[in-house]
Amino acid sequence: MTTMQPIARRSLLVTPGAALELGPSRIGGKAAALARLTEAGERVPAWVVLPADTLEIHLIAAGEMEHVQRELDALAASAQGSAAPLRAAGVLQGIVDALLLDVGLIDALSEIATTLGGGPFAVRSSAVGEDGDRLSFAGQFETVLGVGGRIDQLSDALRTCWRSAFAAGVLDYRRRSGTLSDAARLAVVIQRLVHGDASGVLFTLDPVTGDRTRMRVSACLGLGEALVSGAVDADEYVIDRDGAEVEVRIAGGAGALESRVLQREALAGLAAMGRRIEEREGGPRDIEWTILDGTLWVLQARPVTSVVRAATTPSEHRVVWDNSNIQESYCGVTTPLTFSFARAAYASVYEQTMRAVGVSEAAIALHRPMLQNLLGLLYGRVYYNLNNWYRGLLLLPAFGRNKEDMERMMGVEEPVDFVTDDAPGFGERLRRLPRLARTTAGLLRAFTTLDRDAAAFLDQFDRHIRDVNRATLGQRSLGELMAILEGLRRDCIERWVTPIVNDFRVMMATGGLRRIVERALPGDAERVMQTLLGGADVAASAGPAMRMLELAA
């Protein structure tokens, strides 16, 4: 590596006051928001930031900047949907791994513990263009929590953040949004970590309905990372602008109200904080917070970039029910007890699937009312709520194509046409890109490992079912039966992602094949599809009808 001249210490460890003067073009969107919060007097854990040009200086000193630029130029010229982002990520992250840290940077890191008053620390990426009104990059860059104060620990965390500047999803997002020129401009925030008693997210409007008179809070015990990663379920509170409760959903259920994460005084404090920040920032905000010993700390605040549009036309109040497919699973009259199990199972399975394909915890929280109403019980029979199934497809790329494929898979004869993607404009499409990129990447990963996952799923499922002694069920007590049911829910229902991923794969593959056949043989597509897919006799559900034909013959 080329020997570097030490970077002046004064160009590093930028404090909040100085960071405010540098602005987001030098310290990234996340640090710029922290600087404004600190300057306004909000309680923010002590922090410093290494400016975005620190990474660029290292690349230049190592003689790698031209190499990086060539890779970015090649990526910009590559075809959409190609593997170019993955290839570029491998090359660029390898360059970052090989960088030698400047002695001036190492000296600066050695002063972190003194500067911030001791650790542990949270080391957060702060990219140029991140957390803006136009682009969010939500969930794209790395954060490392619980970092110790040793040089090697801080250096490893710093390099992890730098690597995330060149992650495949980030590069693809920047290519699509025309911001590849900023790819190497990633600042790094080093912040004292507050081990809160409770943490979460506050939206200063209700993003489920768009109601500006209400706020929505997700909260869990401990660090908020557990909430974001999905390791724990969250309490959900809808509050008015003063913090009074409108709706409450406690993670442990209705019987666990005594174990709620937040009491009313904490909600009032969050509402007051949200009003202050929203007023200063000039619009609705998505705020990460933590509470330690009754003291409220602000960790991040970013613009709310996605809000569910409120119903504006009469058609949006209609609900369309269809049981073309589900009647095979729940035939005849279904009791409320069975329906309650089915509805909870569908909600759990699809929440798992959203998480598996990369949908953020915030987005899952926004869509939880939809997930809990995928089914309906009408006059004793179970139906799909088609409105909500279509709305779920809005989380995936290519809504129109997937809508058509899902209708064919579900046997829907009268499609719903008033749940649409509303032809989003260029700005809205850019705002959606991070979510769609994560979801697409998640689906592709799941499709790649599907054969292996399916074998493991079937093995585990068969093992759990064999463990249930059906012969003795009639003699079991209610408590024993409930324990068996809980075990099956935990071991089977809550591990049902693989069959749903398989459904998506079959749906998309069959739909793609049908479109190819319709273009090639528009007048004979249905017969050709039946031939290509092996004929109706391969379907297990068609078995009784085929046997009846044999008997008749």
Side-chain angles (χ1 to χ4, degrees):
M1 283 295 165
T2 304
T3 303
M4 300 175 59
Q5 292 298 319
I7 304 173
R9 291 189 187 183
R10 62 178 176 273
S11 69
L12 301 170
L13 294 180
V14 177
T15 58
L20 194 64
E21 297 178 6
L22 291 181
S25 65
R26 294 282 309 282
I27 61 171
K30 190 175 297 178
L34 282 177
R36 294 193 300 271
L37 290 169
T38 305
E39 193 271 340
E42 295 294 342
R43 187 175 286 104
V44 179
W47 62 279
V48 292
V49 59
L50 300 175
D53 48 23
T54 308
L55 172 57
E56 289 182 316
I57 290 171
H58 277 73
L59 292 170
I60 292 170
E64 294 285 6
M65 196 62 192
E66 290 185 5
H67 189 181
V68 170
Q69 192 57 57
R70 287 196 303 272
E71 290 294 331
L72 295 177
D73 290 343
L75 177 59
S78 64
Q80 298 288 342
S82 70
L86 284 173
R87 190 198 65 80
V91 173
L92 296 172
Q93 290 184 329
I95 291 174
V96 172
D97 289 340
L99 290 176
L100 295 178
L101 295 189
D102 170 79
V103 64
L105 176 55
I106 293 175
D107 286 347
L109 293 178
S110 70
E111 299 175 358
I112 289 293
T114 301
T115 303
L116 299 183
F121 305 104
V123 180
R124 308 177 187 275
S125 305
S126 179
V128 171
E130 182 184 12
D131 288 352
D133 292 319
R134 188 174 68 91
L135 303 174
S136 69
F137 289 91
Q140 297 272 354
F141 299 105
E142 290 290 343
T143 290
V144 187
L145 300 180
V147 180
R150 297 200 317 265
I151 295 297
D152 61 321
Q153 296 170 321
L154 289 166
S155 298
D156 288 346
L158 170 63
R159 200 181 298 273
T160 296
C161 293
W162 279 355
R163 279 176 54 86
S164 70
F166 300 122
V170 171
L171 292 175
D172 190 47
Y173 182 40
R174 285 200 179 279
R175 177 180 61 169
R176 293 171 183 271
S177 60
T179 61
L180 271 175
S181 60
D182 288 331
R185 296 191 55 73
L186 182 134
V188 178
V189 172
I190 303 176
Q191 187 173 36
R192 188 166 61 84
L193 181 64
V194 176
H195 281 283
D197 304 313
S199 305
V201 179
L202 164 70
F203 291 92
T204 61
L205 51 62
D206 187 346
V208 174
T209 63
D211 189 344
R212 295 291 298 272
T213 68
R214 296 182 177 184
M215 301 182 182
R216 184 172 287 265
V217 180
S218 297
C220 68
L221 296 175
L223 292 175
E225 187 70 11
L227 171 62
V228 174
S229 66
V232 300
D233 199 2
D235 284 7
E236 299 286 339
Y237 307 89
V238 178
I239 57 178
D240 66 18
R241 301 286 292 181
D242 294 321
E245 296 178 0
V246 179
E247 298 176 22
V248 178
R249 186 187 73 83
I250 304 304
L257 289 178
E258 69 279 3
S259 63
R260 57 185 286 161
V261 174
L262 298 178
Q263 302 303 322
R264 288 174 174 80
E265 56 270 24
L267 292 172
L270 284 168
M273 176 196 70
R275 292 195 305 271
R276 291 194 307 269
I277 294 176
E278 181 183 77
E279 182 177 357
R280 284 195 304 269
E281 295 289 285
R285 282 303 182 265
D286 164 3
I287 303 168
E288 293 184 23
W289 52 268
T290 193
I291 297 175
L292 176 63
D293 296 331
T295 300
L296 175 61
W297 296 83
V298 184
L299 305 179
Q300 292 185 51
R302 61 177 68 88
V304 175
T305 57
S306 178
V307 179
V308 174
R309 181 170 58 88
T312 56
T313 62
S315 64
E316 292 185 74
H317 295 282
R318 286 186 287 153
V319 177
V320 177
W321 306 95
D322 190 287
N323 70 347
S324 301
N325 180 279
I326 199 170
Q327 63 182 337
E328 297 179 3
S329 301
Y330 297 94
C331 54
V333 173
T334 299
T335 65
L337 176 62
T338 298
F339 173 71
S340 68
F341 171 82
R343 183 171 66 175
Y346 271 76
S348 173
V349 165
Y350 278 87
E351 181 168 331
Q352 296 168 55
T353 305
M354 291 169 71
R355 189 171 289 117
V357 300
V359 178
S360 70
E361 291 301 316
I364 292 174
L366 297 184
H367 289 84
R368 196 162 277 125
M370 176 198 77
L371 295 174
Q372 293 169 346
N373 289 280
L374 291 170
L375 304 181
L377 184 64
L378 305 176
Y379 304 107
R381 296 184 185 272
V382 179
Y383 288 78
Y384 289 130
N385 181 333
L386 286 187
N387 303 56
N388 286 338
W389 284 80
Y390 289 143
R391 289 180 181 121
L393 288 182
L394 288 171
L395 293 169
L396 300 176
F399 170 77
R401 186 167 66 241
N402 287 326
K403 176 177 181 289
E404 176 186 327
D405 294 344
M406 188 184 75
E407 289 165 351
R408 289 185 180 277
M409 183 179 74
M410 295 172 68
V412 176
E413 296 181 359
E414 299 180 22
V416 173
D417 294 324
F418 53 81
V419 178
T420 67
D421 204 14
D422 292 337
F426 179 72
E428 176 60 23
R429 290 199 300 271
L430 286 180
R431 283 191 288 272
R432 292 182 184 182
L433 277 177
R435 169 173 59 79
L436 294 179
R438 286 197 306 274
T439 304
T440 302
L443 277 175
L444 291 176
R445 283 195 303 272
F447 291 166
T448 300
T449 61
L450 186 55
D451 288 345
R452 182 193 67 197
D453 294 343
F457 170 82
L458 291 172
D459 179 66
Q460 293 174 3
F461 181 83
D462 290 343
R463 176 161 46 83
H464 291 309
I465 293 300
R466 284 196 303 269
D467 290 342
V468 177
N469 187 344
R470 301 187 183 190
T472 63
L473 289 180
Q475 289 76 48
R476 299 294 186 93
S477 67
L478 178 61
E480 290 173 324
L481 292 174
M482 291 300 293
I484 293 172
L485 178 61
E486 176 62 20
L488 290 174
R489 183 193 64 78
R490 181 189 63 248
D491 296 330
C492 296
I493 297 298
E494 292 189 357
R495 299 181 181 181
W496 205 265
V497 173
T498 299
I500 299 301
V501 170
N502 187 68
D503 281 353
F504 276 126
R505 185 73 182 95
V506 171
M507 180 187 81
M508 293 177 176
T510 305
L513 175 62
R514 180 178 294 277
R515 281 181 283 277
I516 293 172
V517 172
E518 288 174 343
R519 286 196 298 269
L521 300 166
D524 202 21
E526 197 63 38
R527 183 189 65 80
V528 173
M529 281 295 295
Q530 290 182 4
T531 302
L532 290 175
L533 295 178
D537 59 340
V538 301
S541 59
M546 302 302 294
R547 296 302 298 273
M548 290 290 287
L549 289 174
E550 291 175 10
L551 286 173

PDB file of all heavy atoms in Angstrom, residues 14 17-27 49 51:
ATOM      1  N   VAL A  14     -15.242  15.287  14.360  1.00  0.00           N
ATOM      2  CA  VAL A  14     -16.000  16.531  14.267  1.00  0.00           C
ATOM      3  C   VAL A  14     -17.104  16.523  15.320  1.00  0.00           C
ATOM      4  O   VAL A  14     -17.900  15.585  15.392  1.00  0.00           O
ATOM      5  CB  VAL A  14     -16.593  16.691  12.859  1.00  0.00           C
ATOM      6  CG1 VAL A  14     -17.447  17.954  12.775  1.00  0.00           C
ATOM      7  CG2 VAL A  14     -15.473  16.733  11.826  1.00  0.00           C
ATOM      8  N   GLY A  17     -21.336  20.791  17.140  1.00  0.00           N
ATOM      9  CA  GLY A  17     -21.389  22.181  16.706  1.00  0.00           C
ATOM     10  C   GLY A  17     -20.717  22.386  15.359  1.00  0.00           C
ATOM     11  O   GLY A  17     -21.252  23.044  14.469  1.00  0.00           O
ATOM     12  N   ALA A  18     -19.519  21.818  15.194  1.00  0.00           N
ATOM     13  CA  ALA A  18     -18.809  21.932  13.926  1.00  0.00           C
ATOM     14  C   ALA A  18     -19.525  21.152  12.833  1.00  0.00           C
ATOM     15  O   ALA A  18     -19.530  21.555  11.660  1.00  0.00           O
ATOM     16  CB  ALA A  18     -17.377  21.430  14.085  1.00  0.00           C
ATOM     17  N   ALA A  19     -20.134  20.034  13.188  1.00  0.00           N
ATOM     18  CA  ALA A  19     -20.848  19.224  12.204  1.00  0.00           C
ATOM     19  C   ALA A  19     -22.010  19.999  11.597  1.00  0.00           C
ATOM     20  O   ALA A  19     -22.303  19.882  10.407  1.00  0.00           O
ATOM     21  CB  ALA A  19     -21.352  17.939  12.860  1.00  0.00           C
ATOM     22  N   LEU A  20     -22.669  20.813  12.433  1.00  0.00           N
ATOM     23  CA  LEU A  20     -23.787  21.610  11.937  1.00  0.00           C
ATOM     24  C   LEU A  20     -23.340  22.555  10.830  1.00  0.00           C
ATOM     25  O   LEU A  20     -24.056  22.784   9.857  1.00  0.00           O
ATOM     26  CB  LEU A  20     -24.410  22.388  13.090  1.00  0.00           C
ATOM     27  CG  LEU A  20     -25.776  23.025  12.851  1.00  0.00           C
ATOM     28  CD1 LEU A  20     -26.831  21.971  12.587  1.00  0.00           C
ATOM     29  CD2 LEU A  20     -26.175  23.881  14.044  1.00  0.00           C
ATOM     30  N   GLU A  21     -22.125  23.088  10.961  1.00  0.00           N
ATOM     31  CA  GLU A  21     -21.599  23.995   9.948  1.00  0.00           C
ATOM     32  C   GLU A  21     -21.205  23.255   8.676  1.00  0.00           C
ATOM     33  O   GLU A  21     -21.349  23.780   7.575  1.00  0.00           O
ATOM     34  CB  GLU A  21     -20.400  24.750  10.510  1.00  0.00           C
ATOM     35  CG  GLU A  21     -20.722  25.645  11.701  1.00  0.00           C
ATOM     36  CD  GLU A  21     -19.492  26.327  12.262  1.00  0.00           C
ATOM     37  OE1 GLU A  21     -18.405  26.176  11.646  1.00  0.00           O
ATOM     38  OE2 GLU A  21     -19.606  27.004  13.298  1.00  0.00           O
ATOM     39  N   LEU A  22     -20.705  22.016   8.807  1.00  0.00           N
ATOM     40  CA  LEU A  22     -20.293  21.261   7.620  1.00  0.00           C
ATOM     41  C   LEU A  22     -21.479  20.881   6.749  1.00  0.00           C
ATOM     42  O   LEU A  22     -21.392  20.900   5.518  1.00  0.00           O
ATOM     43  CB  LEU A  22     -19.539  19.998   8.042  1.00  0.00           C
ATOM     44  CG  LEU A  22     -18.159  20.193   8.677  1.00  0.00           C
ATOM     45  CD1 LEU A  22     -17.545  18.841   9.007  1.00  0.00           C
ATOM     46  CD2 LEU A  22     -17.250  20.988   7.758  1.00  0.00           C
ATOM     47  N   GLY A  23     -22.583  20.477   7.354  1.00  0.00           N
ATOM     48  CA  GLY A  23     -23.787  20.154   6.597  1.00  0.00           C
ATOM     49  C   GLY A  23     -23.782  18.743   6.045  1.00  0.00           C
ATOM     50  O   GLY A  23     -22.771  18.033   6.072  1.00  0.00           O
ATOM     51  N   PRO A  24     -24.937  18.295   5.508  1.00  0.00           N
ATOM     52  CA  PRO A  24     -25.100  16.904   5.071  1.00  0.00           C
ATOM     53  C   PRO A  24     -24.184  16.496   3.924  1.00  0.00           C
ATOM     54  O   PRO A  24     -23.918  15.309   3.754  1.00  0.00           O
ATOM     55  CB  PRO A  24     -26.583  16.822   4.660  1.00  0.00           C
ATOM     56  CG  PRO A  24     -27.018  18.232   4.471  1.00  0.00           C
ATOM     57  CD  PRO A  24     -26.190  19.061   5.393  1.00  0.00           C
ATOM     58  N   SER A  25     -23.698  17.431   3.125  1.00  0.00           N
ATOM     59  CA  SER A  25     -22.810  17.055   2.026  1.00  0.00           C
ATOM     60  C   SER A  25     -21.458  16.580   2.523  1.00  0.00           C
ATOM     61  O   SER A  25     -20.705  15.933   1.787  1.00  0.00           O
ATOM     62  CB  SER A  25     -22.619  18.236   1.070  1.00  0.00           C
ATOM     63  OG  SER A  25     -21.941  19.306   1.713  1.00  0.00           O
ATOM     64  N   ARG A  26     -21.102  16.903   3.777  1.00  0.00           N
ATOM     65  CA  ARG A  26     -19.821  16.481   4.353  1.00  0.00           C
ATOM     66  C   ARG A  26     -19.990  15.397   5.420  1.00  0.00           C
ATOM     67  O   ARG A  26     -19.082  14.584   5.597  1.00  0.00           O
ATOM     68  CB  ARG A  26     -19.110  17.686   4.995  1.00  0.00           C
ATOM     69  CG  ARG A  26     -18.659  18.755   4.029  1.00  0.00           C
ATOM     70  CD  ARG A  26     -17.392  18.351   3.294  1.00  0.00           C
ATOM     71  NE  ARG A  26     -16.325  17.895   4.164  1.00  0.00           N
ATOM     72  CZ  ARG A  26     -15.537  18.708   4.884  1.00  0.00           C
ATOM     73  NH1 ARG A  26     -15.711  20.039   4.826  1.00  0.00           N
ATOM     74  NH2 ARG A  26     -14.578  18.214   5.643  1.00  0.00           N
ATOM     75  N   ILE A  27     -21.134  15.389   6.108  1.00  0.00           N
ATOM     76  CA  ILE A  27     -21.280  14.449   7.227  1.00  0.00           C
ATOM     77  C   ILE A  27     -22.448  13.487   7.041  1.00  0.00           C
ATOM     78  O   ILE A  27     -22.716  12.655   7.904  1.00  0.00           O
ATOM     79  CB  ILE A  27     -21.452  15.195   8.568  1.00  0.00           C
ATOM     80  CG1 ILE A  27     -22.707  16.077   8.542  1.00  0.00           C
ATOM     81  CG2 ILE A  27     -20.210  16.009   8.888  1.00  0.00           C
ATOM     82  CD1 ILE A  27     -23.062  16.670   9.876  1.00  0.00           C
ATOM     83  N   VAL A  49     -18.402  12.708  14.656  1.00  0.00           N
ATOM     84  CA  VAL A  49     -18.561  12.130  13.329  1.00  0.00           C
ATOM     85  C   VAL A  49     -17.260  12.257  12.548  1.00  0.00           C
ATOM     86  O   VAL A  49     -16.598  13.292  12.593  1.00  0.00           O
ATOM     87  CB  VAL A  49     -19.735  12.793  12.562  1.00  0.00           C
ATOM     88  CG1 VAL A  49     -19.536  14.281  12.405  1.00  0.00           C
ATOM     89  CG2 VAL A  49     -19.938  12.134  11.197  1.00  0.00           C
ATOM     90  N   PRO A  51     -15.977  12.724   8.967  1.00  0.00           N
ATOM     91  CA  PRO A  51     -16.616  13.217   7.745  1.00  0.00           C
ATOM     92  C   PRO A  51     -16.532  12.219   6.596  1.00  0.00           C
ATOM     93  O   PRO A  51     -15.698  11.303   6.585  1.00  0.00           O
ATOM     94  CB  PRO A  51     -15.835  14.495   7.425  1.00  0.00           C
ATOM     95  CG  PRO A  51     -15.208  14.900   8.722  1.00  0.00           C
ATOM     96  CD  PRO A  51     -14.916  13.628   9.445  1.00  0.00           C
TER      97      PRO A  51
END
